[in-house]
Amino acid sequence: MYVNFGGFVPISTVDWRGRAACTVFLRGCPARCFYCHNIAIQDGEDLRDADEIIAMIRESRMVAGAVVFSGGEPTLQGQALAHLAAAARNMGFSVGLHTNGIFPRVIEDLIDRHLVDMIALDIKTTWERYDDLLELTAADAVKRSLAACKRAKADGNLETFQAVVTLFRGREGDLLSIAQDTRGFDLVLQQGVAAGFVPLTRQELEAAAAPLGRKVRIRTREDGEVVYDPER
Ligand code: SF4
């Protein structure tokens, strides 16, 4: 089996909070977010035998207890992703996934086969604005992925689930509806960074989170990840 490979980081402490993980980047993403953090692997082809990737994961075993699949969009390569996740599982790794949620069947399949322990799902904007932002029909698919993750977490079939919102100045109003859809689950507000935008500061992100009346995690380049708790 071949994998469209995007890169490999043997040890990372930022891709799965509290875990030392290796990270496999899978190339290709059908979305076109203007702020894409990994634009170099949005497209193109670097086909590798899955065994080569599995060997990279195996070599990380001395330092990493988990593997995170990221991208690009890893669920674009559903079969290869499941194959790699199963191999990682067999080697004793916990398995994490960073996804934009536009291929819900792949996510449901990973959950059903107990091949994933952590999912970080991007919720990019309100459902009404979703398709325009990504330049494709995605809102219903992401809703379905969100429902699958919430169900799996509530049923004990997913150890960790977090909804990740990349927030830009002027879009703070999106948060209320996203917070409603993710009530009871981990919510991460990530500082949006893109050319032509002044990034929100940690204090501004905290102010945006305040009306939600709930604990959220805030990520900025300046301060890393901190917990904002309105009751503290
Ligand atoms: S979904 Fe992620 S990888 Fe795809 S374009 Fe958006 S930011 Fe880039």
Side-chain angles (χ1 to χ4, degrees), residues 26 28-39 41-42 70-74 98-102 122 124 133-134 166:
L26 298 187
C29 178
R32 287 292 175 268
C33 307
F34 67 91
Y35 56 84
C36 183
H37 53 289
N38 246 343
I39 205 154
I41 61 167
Q42 251 185 15
S70 187
E73 177 46 47
H98 292 176
T99 179
N100 63 23
I102 62 179
D122 289 348
K124 294 182 180 288
L133 181 73
L134 268 63
T166 302

Side-chain angles (χ1 to χ4, degrees), residues 2 7 19 33 38 61 68 83-84 105 173 203 211:
Y2 285 94
R19 299 282 182 100
C33 307
N38 246 343
R61 213 163 22 178
V68 173
H83 180 77
L84 294 174
R105 270 189 217 148
Q203 289 72 24

Side-chain angles (χ1 to χ4, degrees), residues 8-24 60 63-69 93-96 98 118:
F8 183 74
V9 174
I11 181 71
S12 161
T13 55
V14 296
D15 287 315
W16 188 339
R17 184 185 321 119
R19 299 282 182 100
C22 59
T23 305
V24 177
S60 287
V63 288
V67 55
V68 173
F69 295 97
F93 284 88
S94 300
V95 176
H98 292 176
M118 181 280 283

Side-chain angles (χ1 to χ4, degrees), residues 180-193:
Q180 266 175 358
D181 285 334
T182 58
R183 192 188 303 276
F185 299 91
D186 240 12
L187 181 63
V188 178
L189 300 188
Q190 192 161 262
Q191 178 187 52
V193 176

